Amino acid sequence: MNANARTGHTEQMTLAIDIGGSHLKAAILDESGAMSSGPVRVKTPKPATPEAIVATLMRVTHRLGQFDRVSIGFPGVVRTNFILTAPNLGTKAWRDFRLGAVMTSNLGKPVRVLNDASIQGLGVITGCGLECVLTMGTGMGFALFQDGEIAPHLELSQHPIRTHTTYDDHVGKAALERIGRRRWNKRIGKIISVLETVVNYDTLFIGGGNAKLIDIALPANVKLASNAAGITGGLRLWDQRMDHAFTDRAAAFYALSD
């Protein structure tokens, strides 16, 4: 913690980690959400097993300095710091992996883990109306917020947009490399149209590493978001309004199947 000499306030520093299919990123955030150290960016190990990811994150965090708590964005379904799926990490070894507990044990600090698109959303939403967030990276992340409150996670990326073709297959990194930027942008336009009808959002934010490649004309209520939000959104993971997702009662429910 950093103490403010004039007010006696002790500032909470947050280690924010963004786990992606191609890269791992981390930075230290102060209480304003500004990066006081980092970001550090390294390639995601292959194969991306839990053991390899955790070992790489431990090496990264030692380069960043002191912190008091940890936020982790993970590309899959997360429940109370448990990992249920990791579709873009190429291994089923993540099923029921207690990432939060493992990182708490290794770092000696409290840890909160949430889906990476949800954390990106926490970094960009205004808190007004129905706000939808997409992340374009190795796959397609999705999150939804109503007046700043996060909705239950939907793994929309695994839903078919065409027969035998999921959203991940349709607009993920592999599709971009295979069909080229022009056709990929056309597909992005189609997805925006689909979500406008299905979700009826007030605002749609599109972030992630490949969002910068979007060059089609966007409706006024569709906005490109900084990829840094995948890190800076980690601060808001510790807001009181997020406490319900990390209660002992919720953790106990998911531990019943263990």
Side-chain angles (χ1 to χ4, degrees):
M1 295 185 182
N2 292 343
N4 185 309
R6 289 183 299 173
T7 66
H9 172 67
T10 302
E11 186 172 16
Q12 291 273 345
M13 306 299 286
T14 304
L15 169 63
I17 295 170
D18 184 8
I19 297 175
S22 58
H23 290 89
L24 309 177
K25 293 173 285 185
I28 305 292
L29 307 176
D30 64 22
E31 288 189 346
S32 72
M35 297 186 194
S36 65
S37 178
V40 175
R41 183 173 183 263
V42 299
K43 289 186 177 180
T44 302
K46 305 296 182 186
T49 62
E51 295 75 18
I53 294 285
V54 168
T56 303
L57 290 177
M58 293 304 296
R59 290 194 295 272
V60 167
T61 57
H62 290 318
R63 297 161 55 181
L64 288 170
Q66 297 298 311
F67 53 90
D68 304 291
R69 59 193 185 184
V70 185
S71 296
I72 301 177
F74 186 86
V77 178
V78 182
R79 294 287 188 273
T80 59
N81 294 328
F82 284 64
I83 305 303
L84 298 187
T85 68
N88 291 310
L89 293 183
T91 173
K92 295 182 179 179
W94 285 96
R95 177 73 188 186
D96 292 332
F97 185 72
R98 300 168 180 250
L99 181 58
V102 169
M103 292 300 290
T104 294
S105 177
N106 286 344
L107 295 172
K109 304 292 183 181
V111 176
R112 287 185 171 184
V113 187
L114 199 66
N115 172 265
D116 57 347
S118 298
I119 290 186
Q120 172 102 21
L122 290 172
V124 300
I125 60 171
T126 66
C128 297
L130 185 61
E131 297 178 283
C132 184
V133 179
L134 296 182
T135 57
M136 309 309 304
T138 303
M140 188 196 82
F142 175 86
L144 197 61
F145 300 82
Q146 177 68 56
D147 295 324
E149 297 287 346
I150 191 168
H153 177 67
L154 299 177
E155 194 72 345
L156 186 67
S157 64
Q158 301 308 303
H159 189 274
I161 189 170
R162 299 189 315 192
T163 304
H164 306 305
T165 302
T166 67
Y167 282 79
D168 266 2
D169 299 329
H170 200 57
V171 292
K173 181 180 178 181
L176 171 61
E177 294 174 345
R178 184 178 68 253
I179 66 175
R181 184 169 171 176
R182 183 183 65 82
R183 290 180 61 195
W184 181 81
N185 266 276
K186 186 176 181 180
R187 290 183 177 185
I188 294 294
K190 177 182 178 182
I191 286 175
I192 291 172
S193 178
V194 168
L195 291 180
E196 183 179 19
T197 300
V198 173
V199 179
N200 285 292
Y201 52 77
D202 293 306
T203 308
L204 171 65
F205 296 95
I206 307 178
N210 290 332
K212 62 182 180 293
L213 301 178
I214 296 175
D215 56 17
I216 57 174
L218 298 174
N221 63 341
V222 178
K223 305 178 185 301
L224 298 183
S226 168
N227 195 33
I231 293 286
T232 59
L235 177 67
R236 296 179 68 180
L237 191 56
W238 289 92
D239 287 355
Q240 285 187 347
R241 66 171 53 189
M242 294 301 301
D243 288 350
H244 67 91
F246 302 97
T247 63
D248 291 340
R249 180 179 179 183
F253 174 80
Y254 287 101
L256 290 176
S257 62
D258 196 31

